[in-house]
């Protein structure tokens, strides 16, 4: 069974940085997408970035380009979302999610992800 556990959230001031971690278990092959998504109360869940385990391909939504980076530590079965130059608009509950996927273009539709972590809160103050 695929399981994901996020950590690393917290409170920072605008312009600061955080690194979120997503520890995975139960993923036994590389045809998987790992997505980073976020949700603000009262709003739809939105994608931030994605990572295809097959070849390490990444994709970033416009809100994340130039500020966020996804990376992987294979030995630790962990993916990271490094966030720099955070803005108050980045305040949200951040999730990592997984989906069996055979191409490097991970899904943008959050409803297609089948396994989710519990989320970690990021709060950015101005």
């Amino acid at each position: 069974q695929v399981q994901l556990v996020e950590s690393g959230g917290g409170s920072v001031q605008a312009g600061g940085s955080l690194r979120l971690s997503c520890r995975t278990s139960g993923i036994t092959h590389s045809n998987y997408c790992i997505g980073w998504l976020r949700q603000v109360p009262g709003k739809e869940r939105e994608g931030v970035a994605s990572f295809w385990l097959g070849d390490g391909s990444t994709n970033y939504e416009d809100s994340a380009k130039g500020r966020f980076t996804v990376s992987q530590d294979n030995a630790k079965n962990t993916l990271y979302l490094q966030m720099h130059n955070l803005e108050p608009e980045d305040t949200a509950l951040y999730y990592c999610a997984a989906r069996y996927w055979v191409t490097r273009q991970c899904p943008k539709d959050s409803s297609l992800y089948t396994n989710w972590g519990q989320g970690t809160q990021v709060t950015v103050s101005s």
Side-chain angles (χ1 to χ4, degrees):
Q1 182 180 359
V2 175
Q3 294 184 320
L4 306 101
V5 178
E6 302 98 334
S7 61
S11 297
V12 296
Q13 290 193 327
S17 299
L18 280 174
R19 189 179 76 163
L20 307 184
S21 300
C22 174
R23 182 168 52 85
T24 69
S25 60
I27 295 178
T28 58
H29 56 82
S30 58
N31 285 338
Y32 263 86
C33 279
I34 306 297
W36 283 100
L37 305 99
R38 65 188 183 186
Q39 188 167 25
V40 176
K43 292 189 175 182
E44 293 286 324
R45 194 171 292 179
E46 65 173 6
V48 175
S50 61
F51 185 98
W52 189 55
L53 298 182
D55 65 0
S57 296
T58 56
N59 186 68
Y60 299 92
E61 298 303 320
D62 288 345
S63 60
K65 287 179 181 176
R67 301 188 300 131
F68 296 0
T69 304
V70 181
S71 61
Q72 180 190 31
D73 184 333
N74 273 325
K76 296 181 180 179
N77 291 327
T78 300
L79 286 96
Y80 302 99
L81 180 67
Q82 178 69 57
M83 305 185 293
H84 294 297
N85 196 21
L86 284 161
E87 304 166 350
E89 293 73 21
D90 296 313
T91 296
L93 187 61
Y94 282 71
Y95 298 90
C96 62
R99 157 106 196 183
Y100 174 78
W101 202 255
V102 298
T103 70
R104 62 181 58 176
Q105 285 292 101
C106 289
K108 291 183 177 291
D109 185 348
S110 63
S111 68
L112 294 179
Y113 285 92
T114 55
N115 302 89
W116 291 80
Q118 82 287 354
T120 185
Q121 178 68 36
V122 171
T123 303
V124 184
S125 59
S126 58

